[in-house]
Amino acid sequence: MLYSEKVLDHFSNPRNVGEIEDADGVGEIGNAKCGDIMKMYLKIDDNTITDVKFKTFGCGAAVATSSMATELIKGKSIDDALKLTNQAVVEALDGLPAVKIHCSVLAEQAVRAALSDYYTKQGIDPVPIVGEIKVPEEE
Amino acid sequence: MLYSEKVLDHFSNPRNVGEIEDADGVGEIGNAKCGDIMKMYLKIDDNTITDVKFKTFGCGAAVATSSMATELIKGKSIDDALKLTNQAVVEALDGLPAVKIHCSVLAEQAVRAALSDYYTKQGIDPVPIVGEIKVPEEE
Amino acid sequence: MEKRFIYADNAATTAVSEEVLAAMLPHFREAYGNASSIYKLGRDAQKAVETAREKVAKALGAEPREIYFTSCGSEADNWAIKGTAELMAKKGKKHIITSVFEHHAVLHTTEYLEKHGFEVTYIPVSDKGLIDPEDIRKAIREDTALVTIMYANNEIGTIQPIEEIAAICHEKGVLFHTDAVQAVGHVEIDVHKQGIDMLSLSGHKIHAQKGIGALYIRKGLVLPNLIHGGGQERGKRAGTENVPAIVGLGVAIEAATRNIAEKAAVITPRRNRLIDGILKLPYTRLNGDRDKRLPGNLNISIEGIEGESLLLMLDMNGICASSGSACTSGSLDPSHVLLSLGLKHAVAHGSMRLSIEEDVTDEDVDYILEVVPKIVERLRSMSPVWERMMKGEDYE
Amino acid sequence: MEKRFIYADNAATTAVSEEVLAAMLPHFREAYGNASSIYKLGRDAQKAVETAREKVAKALGAEPREIYFTSCGSEADNWAIKGTAELMAKKGKKHIITSVFEHHAVLHTTEYLEKHGFEVTYIPVSDKGLIDPEDIRKAIREDTALVTIMYANNEIGTIQPIEEIAAICHEKGVLFHTDAVQAVGHVEIDVHKQGIDMLSLSGHKIHAQKGIGALYIRKGLVLPNLIHGGGQERGKRAGTENVPAIVGLGVAIEAATRNIAEKAAVITPRRNRLIDGILKLPYTRLNGDRDKRLPGNLNISIEGIEGESLLLMLDMNGICASSGSACTSGSLDPSHVLLSLGLKHAVAHGSMRLSIEEDVTDEDVDYILEVVPKIVERLRSMSPVWERMMKGEDYE
Ligand SMILES: Cc1ncc(COP(=O)(O)O)c(C=O)c1O
Ligand SMILES: Cc1ncc(COP(=O)(O)O)c(C=O)c1O
């Protein structure tokens, strides 16, 4: 199991760690039993993600994928954020070991969960827009 | 499987190799199928083994035990030769690997076979004196 | 604080010692003969192998002919367990007793046997990581073929009451195997005195090469082969002898068992200082009995953080450590050993094992005790689990 | 005539090459990490293992994920055969086909399986030591689980028609394994092109360390483990990876397969000169086909003398040679390989194998051709068998 330099960089210097007190959307995914929890905080202005923070309990890949996912959506429109795939996160990190791919799915789903929360707070049913939030199966 | 220095010495410089044309007793033991044949020639004068020669087809231990056996009986009385045990040959050679112990038995039996032949030639039934000649079982 | 390099993962593997490598080197390019060959080059190789066998035997209180070289600790475990199973199945004995927290080389072997008609009883361990010999007595049945209990646990370092267990097995007429891969060189072993029928060990835990191990099999006990073929190891383990590694194992085990008490006297206080220092952090616990453990081992759970992240951070600070068994660090499940102590999954995920030897100095201990709290604080500050804990919320 | 040292037993084992040892050395005391460990020292070890796996794969025309490191050729053979047997037994296939002159790592494994409910057909070989693929076709049944035929014989060096055999197996839907321990590095192998499902190799025959081997398993084929435990080798072979030996195997196989044709062009004429020279002695015969054989191998029976004595005399003259397989030289039986050619026991006992590489020079060849006749004469002069032969008597 080998991490790329990018993964190690995002692990040791994670971007956007922290909380947003008055976040417009907060999503949490995973559970401590499985060893990974990601929590995403979004600040949204005019359909644009103006700020994003995360907290993660998990392995190196969990931290790195969280960090990379926040980088990939920061300053982007909600539409763009909804297009974020776990594959894009993996590619941006120069790959992930096979056993760690589920972390990238978690990161993708954490973004969706936060957006889902945002829509719910706006009184809009998130499901037609964001879809169901799925936690990846452990293999 | 390790040979002692003594074994290697008796193998590389075997004592008493050859034939005795007018031997008083000749004994042969073993068969080529099993990989060992020893042939002993005795010259006997007045109950004393005045000369002994051997020919051997076989492994290093077969050659060395033949050589040592001839040394141990040369110049000895028939009685002494009859007391030669395979154990004595093994000890005189500073030991033999377990898988090669049967060679020492062959050497002991080859001496007996030659003595048996000697008695037979004298018109004496060898069995009461020399006993049965036994070829060791392969393990 | 200057960065240091501290190898604190000797339970995972050790460096080959200078002395061992020196003994091995001639056997690569000069004395390279096949130990089965009849010429001098071969005979010399055989002598070297037999000398090593004597050293291993001596270190264990065994006879040389009771020692069989294998390719690793795992092979030794597999051979002992599958071999005994095959042997005893002929007598209708198809029950095996082991513990829940054995190394996978044992557990995955017994699980394999379960799929092939054997029944296996997994003895639980106490919350201190100790086995009660009476549990074994109770578990032994008429058809019990084998009891296999590890000498010392690889993750939490707890030392099991091997002599008592062996005595019960003998009283009941059951064969006893112990996986002593973590114990050899750290505790005094005498297989004959202790009544051990089979014992597995591995070279790379005691400064020999990886890929060499040994199985002690009490004389009189004839196990079926695991690896069939040529006549090596008196026909019991095929494969051209790995002469350099075997020679190295002989030197290594001699060195490792030479001064066990002296080494422990140096290591134990340092280890204890590490334990006490790290336990000052809130929400931490020592896993495994504090006293009945290997001198160099400590295993601490640190709530609110995850082990792999901790290890990576330690690595960035020059400290090599482990979280659970090295073999399973690719896996997502928390350690079965820690779960067997009754730990919750989330707590088991956040644990750290340090296994030190004499080369870890007092200054190294200071350094570790400086680095670990900083890393823990950092990881907790970004941990949603810690956040909830601090709010008094449940998180599992 | 000056005494020389000539190593002419490369089929028994080889010296570790300078290049291989250089690649291994850093992994004993510097890059000594456990390849499963998460920290850099461990990751570097893992990278080294994976680089070696790529090299082995490339040398065989396989993909890296099709290569599994084992502790030796014997283990690879055991794993392939027992693993396939276990796998196919579930489908009711309990018949195995092999040949009478396989290495014991194969034969003793199939004999073991015979005791456990499998049926084994042993294909005979011609008096030239070659297998007729049509014999295999005829032997294949509905319930045939596996065909295992060696690539090149270890005693007489004959190269088998592997591609034809593989084609027949595939036509019939039967798995095909080949023990290529003696072939790798001496003949061109491409497992995918040749349709080989499993292939065993051993490091110490190609200048890597003893105690390291590999099994190629075609992707898609999932064998049960032989050694259970940790997650190494993608969960298929437990035991901490022998990093130095694995790294060495990678370098060794790359070197060995780099210039097969060039090496053969150097070795073959020297080997042929040896054959022709020794065959000038009366009552001698070459064992095995003269052309379909490994470039460096010659195996000659010399009537009237016994092999071990010959080897000891050769050794005293500085020549390392072998009589039958090195593994069995402790045994009393003559080689099963030579008997399979139809040789009488007494003739089989008196045979000699030389296996040379490029380092055996033309002068060395001259030396051997000077020494051998003298030794043969000496041994014959003291041989009662030779005496009888000269008298025209029968001696078996
Ligand atoms: C044809 C063949 N198969 C298997 C083996 C066994 O290899 P190893 O000694 O690495 O177990 C050998 C060599 O001894 C061999 O020549
Ligand atoms: C307790 C225990 N048993 C068995 C093993 C397996 O040893 P090896 O890696 O030599 O196969 C290990 C180490 O990994 C261990 O710690």
Side-chain angles (χ1 to χ4, degrees), chain C residues 22-78:
Chain C
M24 292 172 66
L25 277 178
H27 293 282
F28 288 112
R29 296 184 37 75
E30 293 100 54
Y32 62 82
N34 186 317
S36 303
S37 294
I38 197 84
Y39 40 78
K40 183 154 188 323
L41 201 66
R43 298 196 304 268
D44 288 348
Q46 204 199 337
K47 268 182 222 164
V49 167
E50 295 315 318
T51 303
R53 197 186 310 282
E54 283 161 24
K55 287 184 202 285
V56 174
K58 187 146 176 265
L60 300 176
E63 292 176 28
R65 62 177 164 146
E66 296 177 314
I67 305 300
Y68 299 85
F69 293 112
T70 65
S71 70
C72 56
S74 301
E75 184 193 329
D77 284 339
N78 273 254

Side-chain angles (χ1 to χ4, degrees), chain A residues 23-27 112-122 126 130:
Chain A
D24 298 309
V26 180
R112 286 176 180 275
L115 289 169
S116 195
D117 179 56
Y118 166 72
Y119 283 116
T120 306
K121 277 180 179 153
Q122 308 282 312
V130 180

Side-chain angles (χ1 to χ4, degrees), chain C residues 78 82 226-227, chain D residues 74-76 78-79 82-83 224-228 236-237:
Chain C
N78 273 254
K82 290 179 193 166
L226 180 68
I227 298 179
Chain D
S74 301
E75 184 194 328
N78 273 256
W79 184 15
K82 291 179 193 167
N225 288 23
L226 181 66
I227 297 179
H228 295 83
K236 297 311 295 170
R237 203 288 189 181

